[in-house]
Amino acid sequence: ADMWRVVAVTASASVRQALCCAPPPPLPPRRWTVTVAVSPTAGLADERVETRVAGLGPRQSVTLRAVAADERGCLFESCAHYRADGRGQLHLGTDASHGGSYTGVEPMGLFWSLAPAGMERPYQRLVPRNTGTPMKVEMLVHQGHSLPGTIPGPVVAKVEVERWFTTPGVRRIRLKEGGVRGSLFLPPGDGPFPGVIDMYGDEGGLIEFRSSLLATRGFAALSLPYFDFEDLPKVMKELRLEYFEEAARFLQRHPKVKGPGVGVIGTGKGAELALSMITFLPEVVAAVSISACSSNTIADLHYGEMTLPGLRFDMNKVSVSDTGVFDIFDALDDPMNPTNSSCTIPIEKAEGQFLFVVGEDDRMWKSSLYAELAIRRLRQYGKENFELLSYPGAGHRIDPPSTPFCQVAMDRVLGVPVLGGGESKAHAHAQEHSWGKIQEFLHLHLG
């Protein structure tokens, strides 16, 4: 027994000596922490953000994905394929996407390419309805390259970004002023501020996000609905310019608004109404016309004893694709036809300034041609009171920067998907460039 005790002790000592002298076991491979940083994480929706990813492997392939939800809970998403540099880093301001929702160096590509997720109804537009709360966008980094609509790889990093449509101090005042309805957005401070009326098209209702962004840029902006809102007419059968005159006079006389005149910005039917306002109303001295027709359309426009008939749409000239998308490009009556001359807006009577903004790939109607007709008419009467911004590859609805591009959208009146035209990247660039030019134009002519 003593012998076995000695052997056991000797063996224990040998094991201890071996353990003390043996090299330490190899450490597990170092795991880098992947981070995605967006700056600013909370900022205005019309401003660029800077997105960087760090901690990836050298030349590692990843998919960056953005996910957002509208007020109804409908999900929108976008994705892009990137490859890290030799240090395992990415910068969306300098690095190119190689696939996904867009390609090339596009710092804001994940925002303007947001589209309805695969499980959602297609052809929906991501439009903020509540300007008092931010649009929240989750940015995710996934391993590997995954195609849109497929299950992406594991998430290695994520961050939430807030896109605000207003700043602290901007006041929103709901209007029931005489017959005028809408929302007035006032910048912080005593003012006075240049005043602008803001209108959209035949979707109707109250659309406020452009007005609230204008207020953050120093304008007193009146978001003006003209049908399908509160006690306004439900449908756009006919319109009276006196309603718009009352709105212009209200804004002009507001103590926070700089005089002597006000401006107006409109898109589609709203842009066409802007042309009529600057033509007939002396209170309006500057008009931004985005994708307008040079003639009055759809609904007759009355002003006192005068009536501008509306050009009509001929539904027999509508084409429908195999996927059920309606192309109404050729359906509007021809404004150049002499029988339609009574519909022409006599813009040569305007004393103010025009800014025409058009997308050359607009498929809603021929807005490039209509801007050309308007300019030709002004020049015919010896007028040079206009500027033109014409964007190749842009579609119909040119909104503030990074507003998600929507080539096909459900039409409120027809209840079917209608082709708006445009190519996403060109349209996004048009939105960013025109937004700065629109503000310059309004400041120049409104003070």
Side-chain angles (χ1 to χ4, degrees), residues 239 269 272-273 276 293-302 307-312 332 340 342-345:
L239 296 167
K269 178 65 183 178
E272 171 201 307
L273 285 164
S276 292
C293 184
S294 51
S295 294
N296 186 54
T297 67
I298 308 170
D300 293 352
L301 180 65
H302 306 283
T307 296
L308 283 181
L311 291 178
R312 306 301 180 186
L332 187 66
N340 295 323
S342 60
C343 302
T344 303
I345 303 168

Side-chain angles (χ1 to χ4, degrees), residues 196-264:
V196 181
I197 294 172
D198 177 26
M199 299 180 295
Y200 273 89
D202 62 4
E203 60 266 57
L206 178 65
I207 301 174
E208 299 176 308
F209 73 99
R210 184 166 62 191
S211 299
S212 64
L213 285 173
L214 284 169
T216 69
R217 301 301 174 192
F219 296 93
L222 170 56
S223 182
L224 186 68
Y226 48 96
F227 75 102
D228 194 28
F229 181 71
E230 294 185 350
D231 56 354
L232 295 175
K234 289 301 293 179
V235 295
M236 189 173 51
K237 285 187 177 175
E238 57 182 6
L239 296 167
R240 299 207 66 87
L241 199 61
E242 283 85 355
Y243 172 77
F244 303 91
E245 181 177 50
E246 187 180 354
R249 288 178 176 172
F250 163 80
L251 189 62
Q252 181 194 37
R253 295 168 182 170
H254 195 282
K256 293 271 190 178
V257 172
K258 186 186 297 186
V262 298
V264 60

Side-chain angles (χ1 to χ4, degrees), residues 29-257:
R30 182 175 179 183
R31 295 185 63 85
W32 296 98
T33 301
V34 181
T35 60
V36 55
V38 180
S39 177
T41 52
L44 282 170
D46 62 351
E47 291 180 343
R48 279 191 175 194
V49 298
E50 191 171 273
T51 305
R52 295 177 182 270
V53 182
L56 298 168
R59 314 293 175 195
Q60 182 178 345
S61 296
V62 290
T63 297
L64 264 67
R65 190 161 149 260
V67 181
D70 66 10
E71 286 87 344
R72 301 163 298 162
C74 174
L75 283 178
F76 293 76
E77 63 180 0
S78 59
C79 71
H81 299 162
Y82 288 93
R83 192 176 300 280
D85 64 15
R87 298 172 299 167
Q89 298 179 357
L90 274 177
H91 180 207
L92 268 59
T94 55
D95 295 325
S97 165
H98 305 291
S101 303
Y102 61 91
T103 58
V105 179
E106 295 293 334
M108 299 301 294
L110 288 168
F111 294 89
W112 54 249
S113 64
L114 283 164
M119 77 288 289
E120 303 289 357
R121 287 186 296 110
Y123 312 134
Q124 297 185 77
R125 195 185 294 280
L126 180 53
V127 176
R129 300 291 177 187
N130 182 0
T131 58
T133 57
M135 181 172 75
K136 295 182 179 181
V137 182
E138 190 171 39
M139 308 278 281
L140 304 105
V141 182
H142 297 267
Q143 288 183 14
H145 287 166
S146 49
L147 295 174
T150 63
I151 297 174
V155 175
V156 293
K158 63 181 179 178
V159 67
E160 187 175 79
V161 183
E162 292 184 352
R163 306 286 284 166
W164 285 88
F165 294 88
T166 189
T167 51
V170 169
R171 293 174 59 205
R172 173 181 178 267
I173 304 162
R174 283 295 295 273
L175 288 188
K176 278 198 172 183
E177 191 73 26
V180 177
R181 302 292 176 262
S183 296
L184 176 63
F185 291 87
L186 294 174
D190 295 332
F193 309 103
V196 181
I197 294 172
D198 177 26
M199 299 180 295
Y200 273 89
D202 62 4
E203 60 266 57
L206 178 65
I207 301 174
E208 299 176 308
F209 73 99
R210 184 166 62 191
S211 299
S212 64
L213 285 173
L214 284 169
T216 69
R217 301 301 174 192
F219 296 93
L222 170 56
S223 182
L224 186 68
Y226 48 96
F227 75 102
D228 194 28
F229 181 71
E230 294 185 350
D231 56 354
L232 295 175
K234 289 301 293 179
V235 295
M236 189 173 51
K237 285 187 177 175
E238 57 182 6
L239 296 167
R240 299 207 66 87
L241 199 61
E242 283 85 355
Y243 172 77
F244 303 91
E245 181 177 50
E246 187 180 354
R249 288 178 176 172
F250 163 80
L251 189 62
Q252 181 194 37
R253 295 168 182 170
H254 195 282
K256 293 271 190 178
V257 172

Side-chain angles (χ1 to χ4, degrees), residues 336-368:
M336 294 187 290
N337 188 323
T339 60
N340 295 323
S341 60
S342 60
C343 302
T344 303
I345 303 168
I347 57 174
E348 70 279 359
K349 295 181 179 181
E351 296 299 325
Q353 299 289 321
F354 296 89
L355 176 61
F356 297 100
V357 182
V358 297
E360 295 177 14
D361 195 30
D362 185 350
R363 295 295 302 182
M364 288 289 287
W365 57 19
K366 303 171 184 179
S367 56
S368 288

